[in-house]
Amino acid sequence: MSRSWEFVPFVLGSLRRPISTGAFVPSSRRCAAALLDGIGTAGTDTVVELGAGTGAITRALDAALPPSARLLAVEINDGFAERLRRTAPPRVEVVCESAVELPRILDAHQVERVDAVVSALPWTVMRPEDQRAVLAAVAKVLQPEGLFATLLSVHRARTDSGKEFESLLADTFADVRRGRTIWANLPPVTAYHCT
């Protein structure tokens, strides 16, 4: 599926809800690849994507995961979620909820633990208590060797809110590694891989 097919719906959706979307263009394929760098997909049973948008990262996950793996895509924007339900690969379970509700979402889908959580959430525009709630929930539901992968825009990483988010990652996870920076993305982003 071409990136241009996602571009217009994403821009229109982000203009309707700029704060909860946090971006004005969909994530690039390079972003998806940077997020997937640290995920060993061979033995993966369940992956959760937070902030699925129109599905750019969702489709990359679907292509990388073994056929038997479950993929839950969580998206708060009802327009994006509805579009994703129509366009996502068949195995993708789309949930229109806030990522803050992750424990309840997993209970409803009868998921106890996940192998990986991948996120394109707009961390630096979220309330600090929501950041903490989401990260605590992610840490709680990950398998012991599970991976959390997320993106942070380069320009936001230099702000107080970006530095606070990086500190929160370090407080929540035993190991936090910076991955690739995708300069060709708009805006440029850096991937983080946490276990």
Side-chain angles (χ1 to χ4, degrees):
M1 192 163 297
S2 77
R3 182 164 157 75
S4 60
W5 185 83
E6 297 169 359
F7 186 81
V8 172
F10 191 93
V11 170
L12 292 175
S14 68
L15 289 173
R16 284 187 203 104
R17 293 186 180 173
I19 299 299
S20 64
T21 304
F24 291 102
V25 295
S27 297
S28 68
R29 287 188 182 95
R30 290 183 183 104
C31 288
L35 283 171
L36 293 173
D37 277 349
I39 299 176
T41 58
T44 302
D45 292 323
T46 306
V47 174
V48 175
E49 179 187 7
L50 303 177
T54 55
I57 294 169
T58 312
R59 281 183 277 287
L61 282 166
D62 179 68
L65 293 172
S68 61
R70 279 182 84 177
L71 176 53
L72 276 74
V74 180
E75 173 54 53
I76 194 171
N77 182 309
D78 55 350
F80 289 168
E82 185 54 40
R83 181 175 190 78
L84 194 53
R85 282 188 185 102
R86 291 192 315 266
T87 62
R91 74 156 141 196
V92 178
E93 301 169 61
V94 179
V95 181
C96 186
E97 294 275 356
S98 168
V100 174
E101 299 295 329
L102 183 59
R104 189 180 57 73
I105 292 166
L106 295 181
D107 282 346
H109 285 81
Q110 300 177 339
V111 175
E112 289 184 29
R113 297 284 206 159
V114 297
D115 299 297
V117 177
V118 175
S119 169
L121 291 174
W123 295 106
T124 57
V125 298
M126 291 170 66
R127 298 180 312 172
E129 58 268 29
D130 289 343
Q131 290 178 356
R132 284 191 294 278
V134 172
L135 291 178
V138 167
K140 181 179 178 181
V141 302
L142 280 176
Q143 299 281 12
E145 298 300 316
L147 178 81
F148 173 61
T150 193
L151 300 170
L152 184 62
S153 61
V154 171
H155 72 283
R156 293 277 191 181
R158 296 183 177 127
T159 66
D160 287 343
S161 61
K163 291 174 185 171
E164 288 167 12
F165 177 70
E166 286 183 335
S167 178
L168 186 56
L169 284 177
D171 290 345
T172 307
F173 297 98
D175 182 44
V176 177
R177 292 171 285 116
R178 279 189 184 194
R180 291 189 279 158
T181 296
I182 311 302
W183 295 104
N185 197 67
L186 185 63
V189 293
T190 299
Y192 290 77
H193 299 101
C194 312
T195 52

